[in-house]
Amino acid sequence: MYKALPMVAALAVCAVAAVPTHAATLTTKGTGWQLTTQLGVTSLSPGRQYTITFATSAMKARYTPYLTAAVSQVKAAGLKLAIGGVEAVNPAKCGPVGHIQFTELYRPLGRPGYSQGMPCPYPPKGVGTGGIVAIDSEYWDGTWPMPAYKLRNTLVHEPLHALGLDHPNLDLNKDGKTADYECAANPTGETPVMCSPNGGYRTATGMGRLTGFDVNGLKALLANARAQGIK
Ligand SMILES: [Zn+2]
């Protein structure tokens, strides 16, 4: 009889998880971060492996050094994220579940100097399944020179879109417009790396890293999954 008890307890736990008595409360924005609710992404599975892949081996070689520090931070925040290999990328179509696919296009948004990152829209239960990153090829052909910090921060900003972070811009000065660069800032002046059109640290050691705002957004995506009972 004693041996039967743990199973009864386990079944009871399963029943609670499978039949929630009320909908989970999800938090979709906070100071300096905002989730991509307009595309139905509210959560990231703490148990799922997420992998950054590349359309060519040359792109893998090019982007990996720019992504390494940010990937370490994302992992420290609790998301299983790794830099993976090379696979076919169709920018118009989502890849395998959990993949954040990098490719390059000429002006993917039709605007000079702008790159694109987006999550696969409306994933089941709002749990992000990865997405597409299309970096503007102008960054590499000499036609769109940028300071190093801006390039580095942009290359991190776009995959964070694919994970489900949106721009946290707000009308802070109450002039009726949510403007470019109008984002919460920390005491030393940095805006989130997710600020539109770009933000983040400008120092040699800080550029290409997430700010605390961005880390809080990632943690919210994971916390939402846990609140939904998703592992
Ligand atoms: Zn953006």
Side-chain angles (χ1 to χ4, degrees), residues 115 117 157-158 161 167 194-197:
S115 291
H157 175 114
E158 303 302 345
H161 272 313
H167 301 139
M194 291 313 293
C195 190
S196 177

Side-chain angles (χ1 to χ4, degrees), residues 17 20 24-26 42-44 124-127 221 223-230:
T25 302
L26 305 182
T42 60
S43 314
L44 283 173
K125 297 181 179 173
V127 182
L221 284 159
N224 284 342
R226 292 191 185 98
Q228 292 166 278
I230 291 160

Side-chain angles (χ1 to χ4, degrees), residues 41-61:
V41 180
T42 60
S43 314
L44 283 173
S45 167
R48 177 179 284 159
Q49 180 68 52
Y50 292 86
T51 308
I52 299 173
T53 64
F54 305 89
T56 67
S57 54
M59 288 185 207
K60 177 176 162 72

Side-chain angles (χ1 to χ4, degrees), residues 143-155:
T143 59
W144 193 263
M146 278 191 276
Y149 75 85
K150 202 172 276 193
L151 174 66
R152 297 285 296 264
N153 290 332
T154 298
L155 297 181

Side-chain angles (χ1 to χ4, degrees), residues 3-225:
K3 283 185 178 164
L5 277 174
M7 181 175 283
V8 171
L11 284 170
V13 169
C14 287
V16 169
V19 188
T21 53
H22 55 86
T25 302
L26 305 182
T27 307
T28 59
K29 59 185 170 184
T31 302
W33 60 271
Q34 166 93 41
L35 307 186
T36 314
T37 51
Q38 72 276 23
L39 292 178
V41 180
T42 60
S43 314
L44 283 173
S45 167
R48 177 179 284 159
Q49 180 68 52
Y50 292 86
T51 308
I52 299 173
T53 64
F54 305 89
T56 67
S57 54
M59 288 185 207
K60 177 176 162 72
R62 168 175 276 169
Y63 293 107
T64 297
Y66 293 115
L67 298 172
T68 306
V71 167
S72 295
Q73 287 181 286
V74 171
K75 285 166 71 175
L79 187 76
K80 291 183 181 172
L81 179 65
I83 294 178
V86 176
E87 65 181 350
V89 175
N90 177 351
K93 194 167 172 284
C94 283
V97 168
H99 286 204
I100 294 101
Q101 299 185 306
F102 262 71
T103 191
E104 289 171 8
L105 292 173
Y106 176 74
R107 299 183 181 177
L109 292 178
R111 298 176 71 180
Y114 276 73
S115 291
Q116 181 179 30
M118 70 172 288
C120 295
Y122 306 105
K125 297 181 179 173
V127 182
T129 56
I132 299 281
V133 172
I135 300 297
D136 183 10
S137 59
E138 291 176 296
Y139 301 170
W140 311 110
D141 68 8
T143 59
W144 193 263
M146 278 191 276
Y149 75 85
K150 202 172 276 193
L151 174 66
R152 297 285 296 264
N153 290 332
T154 298
L155 297 181
V156 169
H157 175 114
E158 303 302 345
L160 291 176
H161 272 313
L163 286 173
L165 293 184
D166 198 3
H167 301 139
N169 297 54
L170 293 170
D171 181 15
L172 294 173
N173 63 6
K174 305 289 182 198
D175 69 348
K177 285 190 300 189
T178 298
D180 282 356
Y181 304 102
E182 194 171 7
C183 295
N186 67 23
T188 43
E190 287 91 11
T191 55
V193 80
M194 291 313 293
C195 190
S196 177
N198 51 69
Y201 297 106
R202 298 184 177 203
T203 59
T205 52
M207 60 189 186
R209 290 179 177 272
L210 284 69
T211 67
F213 300 117
D214 308 294
V215 171
N216 286 343
L218 280 177
K219 287 181 174 174
L221 284 159
L222 290 160
N224 284 342

